[in-house]
RNA sequence: GGGCGUUUAGCUCAGUUGGUAGAGCGUCUCCCUUACAAGGAGAGGGUCGAGAGUUCGAGUCUCCCAACGCCCACCA
């Protein structure tokens, strides 16, 4: 790397080559490895483990970039930084994709059997695990692969067993029959938050249930006529006089003949439907509660596959019929026998499986649950008392709202891929033992269900650090972690569970900050998904634009409010162009560092532009540190972009060219350039690691260091403040801009040399004399002369007013007087408008009375300045008009 | 039904203690000036969704309305 010939560096930054080479350099040097025995204060982040179902998407790229920026920044800022990588076994999701693959081969998991199926799934998981980690490397991730973890590895599995047993012993895990969300396709229970509701256009059927042994009937409205065979009662509201006389009577279920009572229950809404509800406790959560209150035994009529159960309660011709086919058929039968009185269109919400979008079947079923309320107490307190802070803070409200209305968590899944529940049943007595190990494999069989995948991810911050052993080096050094970085979509699924579990089992909040960023969407604002075909693969973007370009662009799009981020391919040109700008600016500096010595710059030999850029750099460092600490990471990107491009490239490098040509200034300018480039690269490094490392390696350094990634991050330095020179440079810039403006607006060719007469007094005059060379070169001025401030304006000349001085540009034969007058009038108008507004304020007694002193003084000063400048412009216009 | 977010230049979006608006892209003009045409220089472009209020002063605070988006709850 160090043998590179600077003059042969390509003019276009080659991201691909650089990234590969640099990442390898970091890996070989073991720069990402965290030391648990370090004296430095710890900074740790555990990655939200990506599912092993697939590959990296843009959301991971954003999430990973932000974590890497925080990790790299803190590593450079004196912390022992650990970013712990890993993946999630993603129980239901992974099983689904593997089953899908098997289906392609004409197989089901049952054909393979549990053991063989798990083998297949492990294979799949391992392949994707390495693919995902490889992609994270392409992203420049500075994570410590020696600590890589998997939610289903030995350590995490031990943690799961430990937690399960302890919660069970504490009475916080129980097993029981409740209505759960059952996915007939996944063949498993799923939790409430894995169920999404969709509005569907359905029907409300009114069915007549005849009274037993007497004429008359009660009419019931239902959206699910196929469940009538599971009815155990008809319920009406106790205050509903319409049905007063029917309560206590018996009706006969149509098509079935079974007899059920008419009961009263508060749950019934008099105004909905007919005011009479069929009660089906086995297939509806509300009905289940009603049934329980009235001591009614549930009757199952739909099975786990969503088919009509082949049982006595269901007429034989419907046995094993799909629930929707059965519905059609039942409607026909009811209609034929005149039990169906009315059909109405009815919009209602239907639960869908988040994973496969199959309509959920509420099913009474025996499952395992975590009693959440006792655990939620501390999780609520931790956020309320500030032990855990959400950024942006508004998410705390969502979190607390959910926690405060927490419902028990159904944790058992009827799957194979996952942590098998550590409950064992005696083969003969059926006695159940909950323990980490099977008490006697000959006599006990393990519960066949596995745990919800989020159960293990909920332990992630501490299961990865050695838990249940809290004496490991990593646990002691790196737990609790510093911050959790994730999207808002998994606050309930994951963040909430980590907080409850962390507090319960480690007595500490697993992280003190939850940094929530927006979600990545396509250019139309739609969520990216494979089925929509609107996904953008981050690796393709990296191939096309470069990793640092991707990282910079994504970072720049992060707002403090955590808005969703719309991206399209072309947006990454922003980052690519910036990377190229950095590359070329650096190339320029490096090409001009030949012959530089090993000394730091000489403070006494600094020029105005030198001091100005040092001042800018210093201020930028201050702002950048402040912004990173406050998680305003998008702002960091903007500030650095503005500093690097607009200050460093557009102005300082241009002035440096002049100084480099001056033998007296050359050496010190080189030293300043070296320092400024070095510090600028360091500031950029956390966002754009490869490019900055690559260039830094080429700087002829006067200190020892192995890599930029372990250099100190620049901080504000009181000794590098140069306010006076900063002001003087502003005068320089303004003067040059005015001259350029004159040239352009009067259509004076750049090849044409012009002269300028500067009319200034006092300090401004002194400054002009110093900055003359810069003005000459950057504004392409041939000669500069000096004159009296109040002398008359020569004919045929353009002019500009800068600060308190005037610049006169004689343009005999070149100038269109009318144009110049117009130009000046435009400027004057602007000033006059501003002045009117300011004077309006100053004439307002209340403003003068109430506004802060500094603002009033500022306003006065500005009015003075405007008066001066507009006076000068008036004078110019007058002299031009006379001559015209 | 409850809650949250968004509405600012043609487009995409910034704008943290209230002090008369910024960026990138796009547009117009000029320029291959020995770091960079993925570039340089100059310019144009906004009554900050509507309305009301507080204030000397509101894109920024309060209220109300509208449109779009999201979350939670849930109606047999």
């Amino acid at each position: 790397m160090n043998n590179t010939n600077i003059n042969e560096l390509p003019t276009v930054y080659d991201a691909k080559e650089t990234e590969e080479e640099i990442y390898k350099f970091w890996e070989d040097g073991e720069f990402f490895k965290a030391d648990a025995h370090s004296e430095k204060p710890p900074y740790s982040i555990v990655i939200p483990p990506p599912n092993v179902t697939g590959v990296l998407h843009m959301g991971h790229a954003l999430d990973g970039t932000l974590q890497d920026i925080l990790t790299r920044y803190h590593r450079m800022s004196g912390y022992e930084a650990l970013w712990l990588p890993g993946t999630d076994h993603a129980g239901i999701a992974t099983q689904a994709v593997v089953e899908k693959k098997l289906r392609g081969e004409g197989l089901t998991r049952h054909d393979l059997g549990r053991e063989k199926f798990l083998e297949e799934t492990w294979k799949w998981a391992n392949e994707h695990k390495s693919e995902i980690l490889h992609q994270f490397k392409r992203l420049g991730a500075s994570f410590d692969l020696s600590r890589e973890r998997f939610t289903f590895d030995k350590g995490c599995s031990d943690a799961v067993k430990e937690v399960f047993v302890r919660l069970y012993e504490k009475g916080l895990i129980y097993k029981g029959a409740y209505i759960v969300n059952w996915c007939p396709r996944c063949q498993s229970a799923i939790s409430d938050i894995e169920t999404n509701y969709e509005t569907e256009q359905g029907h409300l059927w009114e069915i007549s249930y005849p009274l037993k042994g007497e004429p008359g009937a009660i009419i019931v409205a239902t959206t699910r006529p196929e469940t009538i065979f599971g009815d155990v009662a008809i319920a009406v509201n106790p205050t509903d006089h319409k049905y007063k006389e029917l309560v206590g009577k018996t009706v006969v279920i149509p098509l079935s003949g079974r007899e059920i009572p008419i009961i009263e229950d508060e749950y019934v809404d008099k105004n909905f439907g007919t005011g009479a509800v069929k009660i089906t406790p086995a297939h509806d959560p509300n009905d289940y509660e009603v049934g329980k209150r009235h001591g009614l035994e549930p009757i199952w009529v739909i099975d786990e596959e969503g088919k009509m159960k082949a049982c006595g309660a269901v007429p034989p011709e419907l046995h094993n019929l799909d629930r929707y086919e059965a519905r059609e058929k039942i409607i026909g039968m009811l209609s034929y026998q005149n039990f169906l009185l009315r059909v109405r269109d009815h919009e209602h919400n239907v639960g869908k499986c988040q994973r496969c979008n199959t309509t959920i079947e509420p099913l009474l079923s025996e499952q395992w649950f975590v009693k959440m309320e006792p655990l939620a107490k501390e999780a609520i307190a931790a956020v309320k008392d500030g032990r855990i802070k959400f950024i942006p803070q508004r998410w705390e409200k969502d979190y607390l709202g959910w926690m405060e209305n927490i419902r028990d968590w159904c944790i058992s899944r009827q799957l194979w891929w996952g942590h098998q529940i550590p409950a064992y049943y005696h083969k003969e007595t059926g006695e159940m033992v909950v323990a980490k190990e099977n008490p006697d494999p000959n006599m006990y069989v393990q519960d066949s269900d596995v745990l919800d995948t989020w159960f293990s991810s909920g332990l992630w911050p501490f299961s990865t650090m050695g838990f249940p052993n809290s004496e490991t080096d990593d646990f002691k050094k790196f737990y609790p972690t510093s911050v959790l970085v994730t999207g808002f979509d998994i606050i309930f699924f994951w963040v909430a569970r980590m907080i409850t579990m962390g507090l319960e089992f480690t007595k500490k909040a697993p992280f003190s900050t939850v940094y929530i960023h927006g979600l990545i969407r396509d250019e139309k604002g739609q969520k990216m998904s494979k089925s929509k075909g609107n996904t953008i693969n981050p690796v393709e973007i990296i191939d096309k634009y470069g990793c640092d370009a991707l990282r910079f662009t994504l970072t720049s799009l992060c707002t403090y409010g955590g808005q969703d981020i719309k991206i399209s391919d072309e947006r990454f040109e922003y980052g690519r162009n910036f990377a190229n700008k950095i590359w070329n600016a650096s190339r320029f500096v490096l090409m001009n560092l030949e012959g530089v010595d090993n000394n730091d710059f000489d403070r006494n030999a600094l020029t105005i532009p030198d001091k100005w850029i040092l001042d800018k750099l210093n201020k930028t460092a201050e702002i950048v540190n402040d912004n990173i600490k406050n998680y305003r990471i998008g702002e960091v990107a903007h500030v650095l972009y503005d500093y690097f491009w607009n200050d460093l490239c557009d102005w300082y490098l241009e002035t440096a060219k002049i100084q480099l040509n001056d033998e007296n200034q050359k050496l010190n300018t080189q030293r300043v350039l070296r320092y400024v480039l070095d510090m600028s690269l360091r500031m950029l490094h956390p966002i754009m690691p490869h490019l900055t490392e690559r260039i830094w390696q080429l700087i002829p350094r006067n200190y020892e260091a192995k890599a930029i990634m372990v250099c100190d991050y620049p901080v504000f330095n009181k000794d590098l403040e140069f306010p006076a020179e900063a002001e003087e440079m502003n005068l320089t810039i303004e003067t040059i801009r005015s001259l350029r403006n004159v040239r352009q607006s009067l259509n004076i060719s750049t090849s044409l040399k012009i002269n300028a007469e500067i009319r200034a007094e006092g300090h401004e005059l002194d400054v002009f004399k110093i900055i003359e060379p810069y003005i000459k070169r950057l504004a392409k001025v041939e000669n500069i002369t000096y004159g009296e401030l109040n002398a008359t304006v020569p004919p045929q000349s353009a002019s500009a007013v800068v600060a308190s001085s005037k610049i006169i540009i004689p343009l005999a034969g070149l100038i269109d007087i009318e144009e110049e007058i117009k130009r000046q009038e435009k400027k004057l108008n602007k000033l006059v408008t501003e002045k009117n507004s300011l004077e309006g304020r100053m004439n307002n007694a209340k403003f003068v009375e109430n506004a802060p002193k500094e603002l009033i003084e500022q306003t006065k000063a500005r009015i003075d300045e405007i008066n001066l400048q507009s006076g000068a412009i008036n004078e110019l216009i007058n002299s031009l008009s006379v001559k015209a």
Side-chain angles (χ1 to χ4, degrees):
Chain A
M1 235 182 283
N2 289 319
N3 300 326
T4 312
N5 182 344
I6 301 296
N7 294 310
E8 286 172 6
L9 292 174
T11 60
V12 173
Y13 170 58
D14 184 343
K16 204 159 200 169
E17 192 198 359
T18 303
E19 287 159 12
E20 245 171 73
E21 179 186 323
I22 293 297
Y23 199 87
K24 189 170 181 305
F25 163 75
W26 289 327
E27 278 193 309
D28 292 348
E30 299 199 324
F31 288 107
F32 304 155
K33 207 159 184 172
D35 179 6
H37 303 286
S38 161
E39 296 288 310
K40 296 179 193 168
Y43 184 85
S44 58
I45 297 179
V46 289
I47 200 169
N51 291 351
V52 290
T53 41
V55 292
L56 213 68
H57 61 243
M58 230 4 130
H60 294 122
L62 171 67
D63 197 57
T65 297
L66 292 173
Q67 290 171 72
D68 197 46
I69 289 169
L70 290 169
T71 304
R72 287 180 183 272
Y73 170 76
H74 285 91
R75 193 182 285 121
M76 292 174 80
S77 299
Y79 291 85
E80 188 60 33
L82 166 64
W83 182 19
L84 190 147
T87 43
D88 194 310
H89 71 284
I92 197 164
T94 307
Q95 176 157 333
V97 292
V98 175
E99 283 189 273
K100 191 176 169 191
K101 195 187 87 176
L102 288 177
R103 263 203 307 284
E105 298 160 20
L107 296 168
T108 70
R109 67 176 149 132
H110 300 284
D111 294 331
L112 271 68
R114 190 164 185 148
E115 205 173 313
K116 193 86 209 309
F117 177 78
L118 287 180
E119 236 173 71
E120 280 297 304
T121 312
W122 267 107
K123 232 166 74 189
W124 172 284
N126 285 331
E127 276 165 23
H128 282 80
K129 223 192 292 183
S130 56
E131 175 67 15
I132 287 164
L133 292 171
H134 174 73
Q135 291 183 322
F136 264 105
K137 290 185 187 181
R138 292 289 314 270
L139 199 66
S142 69
F143 50 30
D144 184 351
L145 274 172
S146 72
R147 288 176 164 89
E148 181 205 338
R149 296 298 298 273
F150 181 48
T151 54
F152 204 11
D153 66 22
K154 172 80 168 61
C156 288
S157 301
D158 283 347
V160 163
K161 281 186 223 165
E162 176 82 17
V163 164
F164 189 96
V165 172
R166 275 161 68 176
L167 286 176
Y168 179 78
E169 282 166 357
K170 217 173 161 180
L172 293 176
I173 280 185
Y174 61 91
K175 188 185 185 185
Y178 297 88
I179 293 274
V180 294
N181 303 297
W182 184 270
C183 174
R185 210 231 34 99
C186 299
Q187 290 277 300
S188 176
I190 58 173
S191 67
D192 293 330
I193 51 176
E194 286 169 293
T195 309
N196 297 330
Y197 285 89
E198 279 176 22
T199 303
E200 270 185 12
Q201 201 54 246
H203 300 281
L204 197 57
W205 283 281
E206 289 183 9
I207 300 168
S208 169
Y209 285 59
L211 291 169
K212 181 195 171 192
E214 61 181 296
I218 189 161
I219 298 154
V220 167
T222 181
T223 54
R224 302 203 54 196
E226 68 277 15
T227 64
I228 62 169
F229 307 114
D231 291 352
V232 297
I234 302 297
V236 298
N237 191 290
T239 63
D240 194 344
H241 2 270
K242 240 187 358 264
Y243 295 119
K244 230 10 193 203
E245 287 169 14
L246 294 178
V247 174
K249 292 192 172 173
T250 300
V251 294
V252 180
I253 301 176
L255 312 181
S256 146
R258 193 156 51 78
E259 296 172 4
I260 54 172
I262 297 174
I263 61 171
E264 290 178 318
D265 197 281
E266 300 276 341
Y267 152 72
V268 182
D269 177 357
K270 283 188 284 190
N271 300 317
F272 188 89
T274 63
V277 189
K278 60 197 257 340
I279 301 300
T280 320
H283 300 288
D284 182 280
N286 292 310
D287 291 7
Y288 175 72
E289 294 300 322
V290 176
K292 215 160 77 176
R293 279 199 284 276
H294 296 270
L296 299 162
E297 281 300 313
I299 298 170
W300 278 265
V301 293
I302 298 173
D303 68 13
E304 285 83 356
E305 290 176 49
K307 291 180 178 157
M308 299 308 290
K309 214 173 165 98
C311 66
V314 179
E317 65 266 41
L318 296 172
H319 284 185
N320 295 320
L321 212 57
D322 172 81
R323 51 190 165 159
Y324 298 111
E325 287 173 40
R327 180 182 295 174
E328 293 284 307
K329 199 158 175 185
I330 289 163
I331 293 300
M333 290 159 77
L334 288 171
S335 174
Y336 184 70
Q337 297 182 36
N338 288 327
F339 288 117
L340 184 66
L341 301 186
R342 194 145 80 119
V343 187
R344 276 185 287 165
D345 286 339
H346 178 63
E347 204 174 71
H348 61 144
N349 289 331
V350 179
K352 300 278 181 172
C353 172
Q354 192 193 48
R355 194 57 50 193
C356 62
N357 213 37
T358 304
T359 299
I360 287 305
E361 190 59 43
L363 196 67
L364 182 59
S365 158
E366 178 134 277
Q367 302 288 344
W368 291 87
F369 296 86
V370 177
K371 203 182 226 171
M372 291 304 291
E373 213 192 317
L375 292 168
K377 282 207 179 89
E378 194 58 12
I380 290 166
V383 169
K384 280 194 171 165
D385 66 24
R387 269 176 287 161
I388 298 171
K389 200 172 70 181
F390 280 71
I391 290 174
Q393 202 182 1
R394 67 187 151 95
W395 295 111
E396 285 177 11
K397 207 175 161 185
D398 277 46
Y399 168 88
L400 289 172
W402 190 72
M403 274 292 179
E404 281 159 1
N405 298 295
I406 194 88
R407 291 165 52 178
D408 285 357
W409 174 16
C410 176
I411 50 171
S412 46
R413 298 288 181 275
Q414 288 61 54
L415 306 170
W416 289 350
W417 176 246
H419 303 275
Q420 209 171 333
I421 288 175
Y424 305 89
Y425 305 93
H426 194 279
K427 284 179 181 163
E428 285 159 16
T429 64
E431 167 222 12
M432 182 180 83
V433 176
V434 171
K436 289 181 75 173
E437 300 304 331
N438 191 333
D440 178 359
N442 292 321
M443 291 312 293
Y444 288 85
V445 309
Q446 187 168 5
D447 194 310
S448 60
D449 287 358
V450 302
L451 287 164
D452 180 4
T453 200
W454 297 102
F455 193 92
S456 57
S457 16
L459 316 179
W460 187 246
F462 48 98
S463 63
T464 51
M465 301 282 186
F467 177 90
N469 181 358
S470 55
E471 292 302 312
T472 64
D473 293 339
D474 277 5
F475 194 92
K476 285 193 285 188
K477 180 75 181 177
F478 295 115
Y479 187 84
T481 64
S482 308
V483 60
L484 179 85
V485 181
T486 194
F488 60 79
D489 52 334
I490 52 175
I491 290 177
F492 302 150
F493 279 108
W494 191 45
V495 180
R497 269 94 182 241
M498 281 190 286
I499 294 174
T500 50
M501 293 296 195
L503 288 165
E504 172 70 16
F505 287 94
T506 70
K507 303 299 164 207
K508 284 178 189 160
F511 29 74
S512 47
T513 302
V514 180
Y515 174 41
I516 300 287
H517 57 249
L519 264 35
I520 300 280
R521 298 175 180 281
D522 75 3
E523 58 217 297
K524 293 183 201 112
Q526 292 179 310
K527 217 169 166 173
M528 286 193 177
S529 73
K530 276 176 225 144
S531 56
K532 278 190 212 146
N534 61 348
T535 54
I536 295 182
N537 180 347
V539 173
E540 277 171 30
I541 296 296
I542 290 172
D543 287 339
K544 190 165 168 192
Y545 297 98
C547 170
D548 291 352
L550 169 91
R551 291 171 60 118
F552 185 82
T553 305
L554 287 178
T555 305
S556 76
L557 296 172
C558 284
T559 63
Y560 187 63
Q563 290 305 314
D564 286 354
I565 295 166
K566 281 193 265 186
I567 57 165
S568 60
D569 228 75
E570 304 80 51
R571 291 203 86 158
F572 295 98
E573 288 173 9
Y574 178 62
R576 182 201 57 184
N577 293 355
F578 186 45
N580 197 235
K581 188 73 180 176
I582 295 169
W583 175 255
N584 279 297
S586 304
R587 218 160 51 82
F588 167 77
V589 173
L590 294 172
M591 287 190 293
N592 283 287
L593 285 186
E594 201 184 330
V596 69
D597 61 10
N598 278 329
N599 294 326
D600 290 334
F601 56 79
D602 175 4
R603 274 186 76 92
N604 298 318
L606 293 172
T607 65
I608 290 173
D610 291 341
K611 289 185 176 176
W612 172 80
I613 195 64
L614 290 168
D615 190 75
K616 282 278 182 192
L617 171 71
N618 198 31
K619 279 199 177 73
T620 304
E622 184 180 26
I623 296 168
V624 163
N625 277 282
D626 191 57
N627 278 317
I628 296 184
K629 281 176 191 148
N630 291 300
Y631 297 95
R632 306 178 66 93
I633 300 184
E635 191 60 17
V636 173
H638 298 142
V639 168
L640 288 172
Y641 182 97
D642 182 52
Y643 156 76
F644 197 94
W645 201 309
N646 302 127
D647 295 337
L648 182 56
C649 293
D650 290 350
W651 289 103
Y652 186 67
L653 295 190
E654 294 306 319
T655 54
K657 285 174 186 171
I658 299 156
Q659 298 181 179
L660 288 166
N661 280 331
D662 180 333
E663 281 309 314
N664 294 324
Q665 293 184 332
K666 183 174 176 181
L667 181 61
N668 211 43
T669 301
Q670 287 179 312
R671 294 167 179 158
V672 173
L673 279 170
R674 173 177 57 193
Y675 176 81
V676 168
L677 178 64
D678 190 341
M679 294 301 141
S680 304
L681 292 173
R682 290 188 196 194
M683 287 198 291
L684 285 160
H685 179 265
I687 305 181
M688 309 179 89
H690 308 89
L691 168 68
T692 49
E693 184 74 78
R694 168 84 169 119
I695 299 164
W696 182 87
Q697 300 284 352
L698 300 173
I699 299 176
R701 283 184 305 277
N702 54 349
Y703 59 90
E704 284 297 315
K706 282 186 187 149
I708 195 175
M709 66 163 288
V710 291
C711 284
D712 290 343
Y713 199 82
V715 292
F716 176 73
N717 178 353
K718 236 180 79 206
D719 297 334
L720 291 179
E721 284 190 297
F722 299 103
E725 287 83 356
E727 222 15 80
E728 290 162 6
M729 185 66 183
N730 286 342
L731 180 76
T732 313
I733 290 173
E734 238 189 284
T735 303
I736 293 166
R737 283 196 174 136
S738 300
L739 285 161
R740 284 171 175 170
N741 184 288
V742 167
R743 191 187 274 279
Q744 178 94 5
S745 49
L746 297 181
N747 265 323
I748 299 165
S749 150
T750 22
S751 57
L752 200 77
K753 292 281 184 181
I754 54 171
N755 297 323
E757 181 188 334
I758 292 171
R759 298 177 173 185
E761 288 175 348
H763 180 64
E764 269 180 37
L765 178 60
D766 296 339
V767 174
F768 273 116
K769 288 189 170 159
I770 300 170
I771 62 179
E772 216 187 89
Y774 307 113
I775 297 174
K776 278 183 171 169
R777 165 128 175 202
L778 299 181
K780 296 191 189 304
V781 176
E782 181 89 71
N783 285 308
I784 292 179
T785 53
Y786 294 88
E788 289 295 312
L789 194 54
N790 295 318
T792 51
V793 179
Q796 302 273 306
S797 61
S799 54
V801 176
V802 179
S804 321
S805 308
K806 293 178 205 162
I807 321 279
I808 310 292
I809 304 117
L811 289 168
L814 294 168
I815 189 170
D816 179 337
I817 302 292
E818 292 302 322
E819 275 302 307
E820 174 62 3
I821 290 176
K822 258 199 240 161
R823 197 177 72 90
Q824 297 292 359
E825 277 174 346
K826 207 169 106 191
K827 288 213 159 128
L828 190 59
N829 274 337
K830 251 188 182 163
L831 289 175
V832 169
T833 310
E834 191 185 345
K835 184 179 154 184
N836 287 343
S837 152
L838 293 175
E839 280 183 342
R841 280 202 218 173
M842 291 306 292
N843 291 336
N844 183 335
K846 283 190 171 173
F847 172 75
V848 179
E849 202 177 303
N850 293 313
K853 221 172 71 189
E854 308 90 62
L855 183 69
I856 291 177
E857 262 159 37
Q858 207 181 303
T859 309
K860 273 189 196 157
R862 181 63 188 149
I863 290 175
D864 288 347
E865 193 179 35
I866 293 174
N867 279 335
L868 192 99
Q869 296 190 337
S870 54
I873 292 175
N874 261 321
E875 202 185 306
L876 298 168
I877 294 174
N878 284 338
S879 65
L880 284 169
S881 306
V882 170
K883 266 76 184 188

